[in-house]
């Protein structure tokens, strides 16, 4: 049975996402030791430095939302089932940095689909309490794992359906933000595909640094960040970094 990591990476006019990808790939190879497939376009690919053996799949990304006046190309995750060459796939945001091997254990279970419902704010401000912004519990499509088969295929088919009619579901679930968001698309699809019953989730909270945290140092073992007038450091812990300026550290 084949296992691997699927990553999506597309540069925009504002953010050189390929630089974030380069850091993520190094950590995957070091700590997760899994095969890697990167979904990208040729314009992004030609900027990458040599990363060793990587499987690339080229697509033209769908133009996504605009966030704070900037391009945001992150709406192709519904294609992960078809794009993955693996039997069991770990899908990760490229700004989720695996400084440990913690995620690898979840590829060895019998679950067909696992995703996290919770993110942990490393600044202890509880910034990610999303339940108040909708009538449905949001999931974090930052990290999820699926095993190819009928159940996972049904979930992805439902994600595509939700994406097609997202404005309808957005109103139905009274989601505050109107732009398409993978996190809500997967949450809605999981609820619909599971007959409004509970579904399997990753038993972890994703350690996350909010966008107002400036990354000031990045090493093989962790990151140092600044918030207000304080500097903190986390070591040997996976971290989801929301401030895209990490590309320039």
């Amino acid at each position: 049975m084949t296992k691997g990591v699927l990553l999506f990476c597309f540069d925009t006019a504002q953010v050189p996402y390929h630089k974030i990808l380069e850091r993520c790939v190094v950590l995957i190879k070091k700590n997760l030791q899994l095969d890697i497939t990167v979904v990208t376009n040729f314009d992004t690919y030609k900027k990458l430095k040599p990363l060793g053996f990587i499987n690339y799949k080229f697509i033209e990304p769908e133009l996504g939302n605009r966030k704070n006046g900037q391009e945001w190309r992150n709406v192709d995750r519904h294609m992960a089932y078809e794009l993955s060459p693996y039997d069991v796939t770990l899908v990760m945001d490229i700004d989720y940095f695996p400084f440990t091997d913690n995620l690898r254990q979840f590829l060895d279970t019998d679950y067909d689909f696992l995703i996290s419902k919770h993110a942990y704010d490393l600044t202890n401000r509880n910034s990610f309490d999303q339940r108040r912004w909708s009538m449905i519990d949001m999931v974090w499509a930052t990290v999820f794992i699926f095993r190819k088969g009928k159940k996972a295929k049904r979930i992805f088919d439902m994600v595509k359906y939700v994406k097609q009619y997202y404005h309808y579901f957005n109103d139905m679930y009274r989601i505050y933000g109107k732009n398409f968001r993978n996190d809500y698309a997967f949450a809605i699809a999981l609820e619909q595909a599971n007959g409004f019953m509970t579904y399997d989730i990753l038993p972890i909270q994703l350690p996350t640094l909010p966008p107002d945290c400036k990354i000031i140092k990045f090493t093989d073992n962790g990151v140092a960040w600044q918030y207000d007038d304080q500097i903190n450091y986390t070591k040997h812990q996976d971290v989801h970094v929301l401030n895209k300026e990490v590309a320039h550290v």
Side-chain angles (χ1 to χ4, degrees):
M1 180 173 290
T2 57
K3 302 173 184 178
V5 182
L6 186 69
L7 307 170
F8 291 79
C9 179
F10 305 100
D11 279 356
T12 67
Q14 295 81 20
V15 181
Y17 282 98
H18 72 278
K19 293 185 177 180
I20 303 177
L21 172 71
E22 289 169 355
R23 290 192 182 278
C24 186
V25 165
V26 170
L27 292 172
I28 291 171
K29 288 188 172 185
K30 175 187 175 185
N31 297 317
L32 297 179
Q33 299 180 4
L34 291 166
D35 290 341
I36 302 169
T37 294
V38 175
V39 180
T40 187
N41 57 3
F42 188 72
D43 287 341
T44 303
Y45 170 76
K46 64 185 181 183
K47 299 174 188 175
L48 286 167
K49 67 182 182 182
L51 294 173
F53 182 77
I54 301 283
N55 180 37
Y56 291 97
K57 292 204 171 183
F58 295 98
I59 67 171
E60 280 305 314
E62 180 181 346
L63 185 61
N65 307 313
R66 296 190 70 84
K67 190 174 182 179
N68 299 324
Q70 298 186 355
E71 291 181 58
W72 187 49
R73 297 181 179 178
N74 191 26
V75 297
D76 300 299
R77 195 150 302 200
H78 63 286
M79 300 167 60
Y81 190 95
E82 289 81 13
L83 290 170
S84 173
Y86 312 115
D87 298 315
V88 182
T89 304
L90 166 62
V91 180
M92 280 186 4
D93 279 1
I94 57 173
D95 55 9
Y96 189 90
F97 299 107
F99 289 105
T100 73
D101 64 353
N102 288 343
L103 291 177
R104 187 183 175 99
Q105 63 185 309
F106 299 116
L107 278 76
D108 297 324
T109 72
D110 293 328
Y111 292 101
D112 294 293
F113 195 97
L114 290 170
I115 196 166
S116 181
K117 268 192 174 184
H118 305 288
Y120 174 69
D121 183 348
L122 290 173
T123 68
N124 292 315
R125 287 178 288 161
N126 194 30
S127 304
F128 307 116
D129 179 15
Q130 302 293 332
R131 189 63 179 88
R132 55 184 170 165
W133 301 114
S134 72
M135 292 182 64
I136 188 173
D137 286 335
M138 194 189 83
V139 298
W140 287 86
T142 305
V143 173
F144 61 88
I145 295 163
F146 67 91
R147 180 187 300 269
K148 284 193 173 180
K150 291 182 179 180
K151 183 175 181 178
K153 181 64 164 56
R154 184 171 70 249
I155 291 170
F156 276 99
D157 286 345
M158 183 57 69
V159 173
K160 293 175 183 176
Y161 182 80
V162 170
K163 182 177 181 295
Q164 183 179 358
Y165 298 102
Y166 189 72
H167 291 300
Y168 165 78
F169 285 105
N170 185 280
D171 290 339
M172 175 180 172
Y173 285 100
R174 300 181 185 177
I175 299 170
Y176 179 76
K178 297 304 178 184
N179 283 342
F180 175 80
R181 184 167 178 176
N182 286 311
D183 306 313
Y184 281 119
F186 276 86
I188 295 166
L190 283 163
E191 184 172 277
Q192 297 277 330
N194 283 279
F196 298 91
M197 304 291 286
T198 58
Y199 47 83
D200 301 315
I201 61 172
L202 287 166
I204 58 173
Q205 297 185 42
L206 304 181
T208 305
L209 286 173
D212 57 0
C213 292
K214 180 182 178 181
I215 305 301
I216 58 176
K217 187 176 182 180
F218 195 108
T219 73
D220 291 340
N221 298 315
V223 296
W225 77 90
Q226 180 178 354
Y227 169 65
D228 283 345
D229 60 348
Q230 297 183 346
I231 294 178
N232 295 278
Y233 184 74
T234 182
K235 187 176 182 181
H236 301 307
Q237 175 176 266
D238 298 349
V239 181
H240 185 204
V241 177
L242 296 183
N243 190 328
K244 307 311 177 195
E245 290 301 311
V246 68
H248 302 292
V249 178

